[in-house]
Short mmCIF file of all heavy atoms in Angstrom, two decimals:
data_model
loop_
_atom_site.label_atom_id
_atom_site.label_comp_id
_atom_site.label_asym_id
_atom_site.label_seq_id
_atom_site.Cartn_x
_atom_site.Cartn_y
_atom_site.Cartn_z
N MET C 237 5.77 -2.43 9.50
CA MET C 237 6.67 -3.56 9.95
C MET C 237 5.73 -4.52 10.64
O MET C 237 5.90 -5.80 10.67
CB MET C 237 7.76 -3.13 10.84
CG MET C 237 8.85 -2.30 10.29
SD MET C 237 9.67 -3.38 8.86
CE MET C 237 8.96 -2.78 7.49
N ASP C 238 4.75 -4.09 11.44
CA ASP C 238 3.86 -4.94 12.14
C ASP C 238 3.02 -5.76 11.19
O ASP C 238 2.54 -6.89 11.52
CB ASP C 238 2.96 -4.20 13.18
CG ASP C 238 3.69 -3.57 14.23
OD1 ASP C 238 4.89 -3.98 14.49
OD2 ASP C 238 3.34 -2.68 14.92
N LEU C 239 2.87 -5.31 9.93
CA LEU C 239 2.09 -6.12 8.99
C LEU C 239 3.03 -6.86 8.12
O LEU C 239 2.63 -7.32 7.07
CB LEU C 239 1.27 -5.11 8.06
CG LEU C 239 0.07 -4.30 8.86
CD1 LEU C 239 -0.48 -3.27 7.91
CD2 LEU C 239 -1.00 -5.37 9.22
N SER C 240 4.22 -7.03 8.46
CA SER C 240 5.31 -7.78 7.94
C SER C 240 5.69 -7.39 6.48
O SER C 240 6.02 -8.12 5.66
CB SER C 240 4.83 -9.33 7.84
OG SER C 240 4.56 -9.88 9.02
N LEU C 241 5.53 -5.99 6.24
CA LEU C 241 6.08 -5.58 4.88
C LEU C 241 7.52 -5.74 4.90
O LEU C 241 8.24 -5.74 5.98
CB LEU C 241 5.54 -4.06 4.66
CG LEU C 241 4.07 -3.89 4.63
CD1 LEU C 241 3.70 -2.60 3.82
CD2 LEU C 241 3.29 -5.12 3.91
N ASP C 242 8.16 -5.64 3.67
CA ASP C 242 9.57 -6.06 3.62
C ASP C 242 10.55 -4.79 3.80
O ASP C 242 11.71 -4.92 4.30
CB ASP C 242 9.91 -6.70 2.31
CG ASP C 242 9.00 -7.94 2.17
OD1 ASP C 242 9.33 -9.04 2.70
OD2 ASP C 242 7.79 -7.80 1.60
N GLY C 243 10.08 -3.78 3.31
CA GLY C 243 10.96 -2.53 3.25
C GLY C 243 10.34 -1.23 3.35
O GLY C 243 9.05 -1.16 3.46
N LEU C 244 11.15 -0.19 3.48
CA LEU C 244 10.64 1.17 3.60
C LEU C 244 11.42 2.06 2.69
O LEU C 244 12.60 1.88 2.45
CB LEU C 244 10.95 1.67 5.05
CG LEU C 244 10.22 0.96 6.24
CD1 LEU C 244 10.77 1.33 7.48
CD2 LEU C 244 8.74 1.23 6.22
N ILE C 245 10.62 2.98 2.00
CA ILE C 245 11.30 3.95 1.15
C ILE C 245 10.87 5.26 1.89
O ILE C 245 9.72 5.64 1.94
CB ILE C 245 10.91 3.88 -0.28
CG1 ILE C 245 11.55 4.95 -1.13
CG2 ILE C 245 9.39 3.72 -0.54
CD1 ILE C 245 11.52 4.71 -2.71
N ILE C 246 11.92 5.98 2.22
CA ILE C 246 11.71 7.18 3.14
C ILE C 246 12.46 8.46 2.51
O ILE C 246 13.60 8.35 2.12
CB ILE C 246 12.17 6.89 4.65
CG1 ILE C 246 11.26 5.78 5.16
CG2 ILE C 246 11.71 8.19 5.37
CD1 ILE C 246 11.57 5.30 6.54
N GLU C 247 11.63 9.56 2.50
CA GLU C 247 12.36 10.68 1.93
C GLU C 247 13.21 11.41 2.97
O GLU C 247 12.65 11.72 4.06
CB GLU C 247 11.24 11.65 1.37
CG GLU C 247 10.66 11.21 0.05
CD GLU C 247 9.75 12.28 -0.61
OE1 GLU C 247 9.22 13.08 0.06
OE2 GLU C 247 9.55 11.97 -1.75
N SER C 248 14.48 11.60 2.54
CA SER C 248 15.39 12.16 3.55
C SER C 248 16.24 13.31 2.79
O SER C 248 16.61 13.02 1.59
CB SER C 248 16.30 11.15 4.10
OG SER C 248 17.29 11.67 5.02
N HIS C 249 16.32 14.38 3.38
CA HIS C 249 17.06 15.52 2.79
C HIS C 249 17.88 16.17 3.75
O HIS C 249 17.53 16.29 4.98
CB HIS C 249 15.85 16.50 2.40
CG HIS C 249 16.18 17.76 1.50
ND1 HIS C 249 17.09 18.65 1.87
CD2 HIS C 249 15.90 18.01 0.24
CE1 HIS C 249 17.10 19.63 1.02
NE2 HIS C 249 16.43 19.21 -0.10
N CYS C 250 19.10 16.67 3.26
CA CYS C 250 20.02 17.37 4.28
C CYS C 250 19.46 18.54 4.82
O CYS C 250 19.74 19.04 6.03
CB CYS C 250 21.27 17.59 3.57
SG CYS C 250 21.29 18.60 2.05
N ASN C 251 18.50 19.23 4.14
CA ASN C 251 17.83 20.50 4.77
C ASN C 251 16.34 20.55 4.35
O ASN C 251 15.95 21.24 3.44
CB ASN C 251 18.71 21.67 4.18
CG ASN C 251 18.15 22.90 4.76
OD1 ASN C 251 17.40 23.02 5.75
ND2 ASN C 251 18.81 24.05 4.32
N PRO C 252 15.62 19.62 5.00
CA PRO C 252 14.28 19.46 4.53
C PRO C 252 13.33 20.68 4.40
O PRO C 252 12.63 20.76 3.43
CB PRO C 252 13.51 18.55 5.70
CG PRO C 252 14.82 18.05 6.56
CD PRO C 252 15.91 18.81 6.26
N ASP C 253 13.54 21.64 5.35
CA ASP C 253 12.59 22.79 5.31
C ASP C 253 12.81 23.71 4.07
O ASP C 253 11.91 24.26 3.64
CB ASP C 253 12.91 23.83 6.43
CG ASP C 253 12.34 23.24 7.73
OD1 ASP C 253 11.32 22.37 7.62
OD2 ASP C 253 12.84 23.51 8.82
N GLU C 254 13.99 23.37 3.40
CA GLU C 254 14.31 24.20 2.13
C GLU C 254 14.05 23.29 0.80
O GLU C 254 14.38 23.76 -0.30
CB GLU C 254 15.77 24.68 2.16
CG GLU C 254 16.13 25.61 3.33
CD GLU C 254 15.28 26.87 3.44
OE1 GLU C 254 14.99 27.34 2.34
OE2 GLU C 254 14.89 27.20 4.52
N ALA C 255 13.49 22.17 1.10
CA ALA C 255 13.38 21.32 -0.04
C ALA C 255 12.44 21.87 -1.19
O ALA C 255 11.50 22.62 -0.83
CB ALA C 255 12.77 19.96 0.30
N PHE C 256 12.77 21.61 -2.43
CA PHE C 256 11.97 22.16 -3.68
C PHE C 256 10.64 21.41 -3.82
O PHE C 256 9.83 21.88 -4.34
CB PHE C 256 12.78 21.94 -4.84
CG PHE C 256 14.15 22.86 -5.06
CD1 PHE C 256 14.49 23.61 -3.94
CD2 PHE C 256 14.83 22.85 -6.03
CE1 PHE C 256 15.73 24.37 -4.03
CE2 PHE C 256 15.95 23.58 -6.25
CZ PHE C 256 16.40 24.26 -5.19
N SER C 257 10.59 20.22 -3.23
CA SER C 257 9.28 19.57 -3.28
C SER C 257 9.12 18.66 -1.98
O SER C 257 10.11 18.24 -1.40
CB SER C 257 9.33 18.49 -4.63
OG SER C 257 10.33 17.59 -4.37
N ASP C 258 7.82 18.53 -1.61
CA ASP C 258 7.50 17.63 -0.42
C ASP C 258 8.32 18.07 0.81
O ASP C 258 8.74 17.23 1.46
CB ASP C 258 7.62 16.09 -0.82
CG ASP C 258 6.61 15.74 -1.75
OD1 ASP C 258 5.73 16.46 -2.02
OD2 ASP C 258 6.71 14.59 -2.26
N ALA C 259 8.51 19.45 1.04
CA ALA C 259 9.30 19.75 2.22
C ALA C 259 8.72 19.31 3.53
O ALA C 259 9.37 18.72 4.47
CB ALA C 259 9.32 21.24 2.20
N GLY C 260 7.50 19.25 3.74
CA GLY C 260 6.88 18.93 5.00
C GLY C 260 7.00 17.44 5.32
O GLY C 260 6.77 17.11 6.51
N GLN C 261 7.41 16.57 4.44
CA GLN C 261 7.37 15.11 4.77
C GLN C 261 8.87 14.63 4.71
O GLN C 261 9.10 13.42 4.91
CB GLN C 261 6.52 14.37 3.83
CG GLN C 261 7.13 14.33 2.36
CD GLN C 261 6.08 13.80 1.39
OE1 GLN C 261 4.82 13.91 1.57
NE2 GLN C 261 6.54 13.03 0.44
N GLN C 262 9.80 15.50 4.56
CA GLN C 262 11.25 14.98 4.49
C GLN C 262 11.91 15.15 5.83
O GLN C 262 11.57 16.02 6.55
CB GLN C 262 11.97 15.67 3.37
CG GLN C 262 11.33 15.60 2.00
CD GLN C 262 12.29 15.60 0.87
OE1 GLN C 262 13.16 15.01 0.72
NE2 GLN C 262 12.04 16.60 -0.03
N ILE C 263 12.75 14.18 6.12
CA ILE C 263 13.49 14.23 7.51
C ILE C 263 15.10 14.20 7.20
O ILE C 263 15.35 13.71 6.12
CB ILE C 263 13.03 13.07 8.46
CG1 ILE C 263 13.15 11.75 7.74
CG2 ILE C 263 11.68 13.22 8.92
CD1 ILE C 263 12.79 10.49 8.51
N THR C 264 15.71 14.70 8.10
CA THR C 264 17.27 14.69 7.86
C THR C 264 17.76 13.27 8.14
O THR C 264 17.17 12.46 8.72
CB THR C 264 17.89 15.56 8.98
OG1 THR C 264 17.55 15.02 10.22
CG2 THR C 264 17.53 16.95 8.98
N PRO C 265 18.90 12.98 7.62
CA PRO C 265 19.45 11.63 7.85
C PRO C 265 19.50 11.27 9.20
O PRO C 265 19.43 10.13 9.60
CB PRO C 265 20.90 11.70 7.08
CG PRO C 265 20.63 12.78 5.97
CD PRO C 265 19.72 13.70 6.63
N ASP C 266 19.85 12.17 10.14
CA ASP C 266 19.87 11.97 11.52
C ASP C 266 18.56 11.48 12.09
O ASP C 266 18.44 10.55 12.81
CB ASP C 266 20.40 13.17 12.41
CG ASP C 266 21.87 13.38 12.31
OD1 ASP C 266 22.60 12.36 12.05
OD2 ASP C 266 22.32 14.46 12.62
N VAL C 267 17.53 12.28 11.65
CA VAL C 267 16.15 11.78 12.34
C VAL C 267 15.85 10.48 11.66
O VAL C 267 15.29 9.63 12.32
CB VAL C 267 15.15 12.94 11.86
CG1 VAL C 267 13.72 12.42 12.14
CG2 VAL C 267 15.55 14.30 12.58
N LEU C 268 16.08 10.12 10.34
CA LEU C 268 15.85 8.89 9.78
C LEU C 268 16.50 7.78 10.60
O LEU C 268 15.81 6.73 10.86
CB LEU C 268 16.37 8.88 8.31
CG LEU C 268 16.21 7.48 7.68
CD1 LEU C 268 14.73 7.26 7.29
CD2 LEU C 268 17.12 7.41 6.42
N ASP C 269 17.76 7.99 10.93
CA ASP C 269 18.50 7.03 11.66
C ASP C 269 17.72 6.75 12.98
O ASP C 269 17.63 5.42 13.45
CB ASP C 269 19.99 7.44 11.81
CG ASP C 269 20.87 6.34 12.46
OD1 ASP C 269 20.88 5.35 11.85
OD2 ASP C 269 21.38 6.70 13.49
N TYR C 270 17.31 7.70 13.67
CA TYR C 270 16.69 7.64 14.95
C TYR C 270 15.29 6.95 14.74
O TYR C 270 15.06 6.04 15.51
CB TYR C 270 16.32 9.17 15.35
CG TYR C 270 15.68 9.24 16.71
CD1 TYR C 270 16.34 8.86 17.90
CD2 TYR C 270 14.28 9.58 16.72
CE1 TYR C 270 15.63 9.03 19.06
CE2 TYR C 270 13.56 9.79 17.87
CZ TYR C 270 14.23 9.42 19.09
OH TYR C 270 13.58 9.52 20.27
N VAL C 271 14.66 7.26 13.61
CA VAL C 271 13.29 6.56 13.50
C VAL C 271 13.55 4.91 13.21
O VAL C 271 12.88 4.21 13.74
CB VAL C 271 12.59 7.23 12.25
CG1 VAL C 271 11.51 6.44 11.68
CG2 VAL C 271 12.04 8.55 12.56
N LEU C 272 14.58 4.76 12.35
CA LEU C 272 14.87 3.32 12.07
C LEU C 272 15.25 2.53 13.36
O LEU C 272 14.93 1.46 13.41
CB LEU C 272 15.82 3.31 10.99
CG LEU C 272 15.52 3.72 9.56
CD1 LEU C 272 16.66 3.65 8.67
CD2 LEU C 272 14.34 2.93 9.03
N ASN C 273 16.04 3.22 14.21
CA ASN C 273 16.41 2.55 15.44
C ASN C 273 15.35 2.30 16.40
O ASN C 273 15.54 1.32 17.14
CB ASN C 273 17.64 3.37 16.00
CG ASN C 273 18.92 3.14 15.30
OD1 ASN C 273 19.22 1.97 14.86
ND2 ASN C 273 19.74 4.14 15.15
N LEU C 274 14.35 3.08 16.31
CA LEU C 274 13.29 2.85 17.18
C LEU C 274 12.40 1.70 16.77
O LEU C 274 11.51 1.26 17.59
CB LEU C 274 12.42 4.13 17.24
CG LEU C 274 12.86 5.26 18.22
CD1 LEU C 274 11.88 6.34 18.28
CD2 LEU C 274 13.15 4.68 19.69
N LEU C 275 12.46 1.33 15.46
CA LEU C 275 11.39 0.34 15.00
C LEU C 275 11.61 -1.01 15.74
O LEU C 275 12.73 -1.55 16.07
CB LEU C 275 11.68 0.03 13.48
CG LEU C 275 11.27 1.19 12.50
CD1 LEU C 275 11.61 0.68 11.17
CD2 LEU C 275 9.71 1.36 12.59
N VAL C 276 10.47 -1.57 16.03
CA VAL C 276 10.41 -2.83 16.78
C VAL C 276 10.12 -3.91 15.54
O VAL C 276 9.07 -3.72 15.00
CB VAL C 276 9.34 -3.07 17.72
CG1 VAL C 276 9.27 -4.38 18.39
CG2 VAL C 276 9.52 -1.90 18.90
N ILE C 277 10.98 -4.74 15.32
CA ILE C 277 10.71 -5.90 14.20
C ILE C 277 10.36 -7.13 14.88
O ILE C 277 11.13 -7.65 15.61
CB ILE C 277 12.04 -6.06 13.26
CG1 ILE C 277 12.49 -4.63 12.92
CG2 ILE C 277 11.69 -6.94 12.27
CD1 ILE C 277 11.57 -3.78 12.06
N ARG C 278 9.07 -7.49 14.68
CA ARG C 278 8.67 -8.69 15.32
C ARG C 278 8.75 -9.86 14.34
O ARG C 278 8.59 -9.70 13.10
CB ARG C 278 7.11 -8.47 15.71
CG ARG C 278 6.91 -7.40 16.73
CD ARG C 278 5.50 -7.20 17.05
NE ARG C 278 5.40 -6.26 18.16
CZ ARG C 278 5.19 -4.89 18.00
NH1 ARG C 278 5.07 -4.41 16.76
NH2 ARG C 278 5.18 -4.11 19.10
N ASN C 279 9.19 -10.90 14.93
CA ASN C 279 9.49 -12.10 14.13
C ASN C 279 8.33 -13.00 13.88
O ASN C 279 7.80 -13.60 14.83
CB ASN C 279 10.58 -12.94 14.79
CG ASN C 279 11.13 -14.03 13.85
OD1 ASN C 279 10.50 -14.36 12.94
ND2 ASN C 279 12.24 -14.62 14.28
N GLU C 280 7.80 -12.85 12.65
CA GLU C 280 6.50 -13.51 12.47
C GLU C 280 6.50 -15.10 12.57
O GLU C 280 5.51 -15.63 12.66
CB GLU C 280 6.01 -13.27 11.05
CG GLU C 280 7.00 -13.64 9.88
CD GLU C 280 6.55 -13.15 8.64
OE1 GLU C 280 5.34 -13.23 8.12
OE2 GLU C 280 7.46 -12.88 7.82
N THR C 281 7.76 -15.74 12.55
CA THR C 281 7.69 -17.24 12.59
C THR C 281 7.53 -17.75 14.02
O THR C 281 7.34 -18.84 14.26
CB THR C 281 8.96 -17.81 12.02
OG1 THR C 281 10.09 -17.22 12.44
CG2 THR C 281 8.97 -17.57 10.36
N GLN C 282 7.79 -16.86 14.95
CA GLN C 282 7.64 -17.23 16.32
C GLN C 282 6.19 -17.26 16.90
O GLN C 282 5.60 -16.33 17.12
CB GLN C 282 8.45 -16.36 17.28
CG GLN C 282 9.87 -16.79 17.64
CD GLN C 282 10.54 -15.81 18.37
OE1 GLN C 282 9.93 -14.89 19.00
NE2 GLN C 282 11.76 -15.70 18.22
N THR C 283 5.54 -18.52 16.81
CA THR C 283 4.14 -18.57 17.25
C THR C 283 4.18 -19.15 18.69
O THR C 283 4.66 -20.35 18.83
CB THR C 283 3.42 -19.35 16.42
OG1 THR C 283 3.46 -18.94 15.10
CG2 THR C 283 1.89 -19.46 16.75
N THR C 284 3.85 -18.42 19.63
CA THR C 284 3.85 -18.92 21.03
C THR C 284 2.78 -19.86 21.31
O THR C 284 1.75 -19.71 20.64
CB THR C 284 3.95 -17.86 22.14
OG1 THR C 284 2.79 -17.10 21.97
CG2 THR C 284 5.18 -16.86 21.83
#
Side-chain angles (χ1 to χ4, degrees):
M237 290 302 102
D238 292 344
L239 291 170
S240 299
L241 298 199
D242 304 274
L244 297 168
I245 174 165
I246 300 182
E247 287 188 340
S248 177
H249 189 294
C250 55
N251 188 0
D253 286 335
E254 302 301 321
F256 294 1
S257 60
D258 289 351
Q261 70 189 34
Q262 303 207 57
I263 51 178
T264 61
D266 279 341
V267 172
L268 174 74
D269 188 51
Y270 178 75
V271 166
L272 293 175
N273 282 323
L274 279 185
L275 287 178
V276 179
I277 309 299
R278 298 179 171 94
N279 185 348
E280 62 187 316
T281 54
Q282 263 174 24
T283 306
T284 63

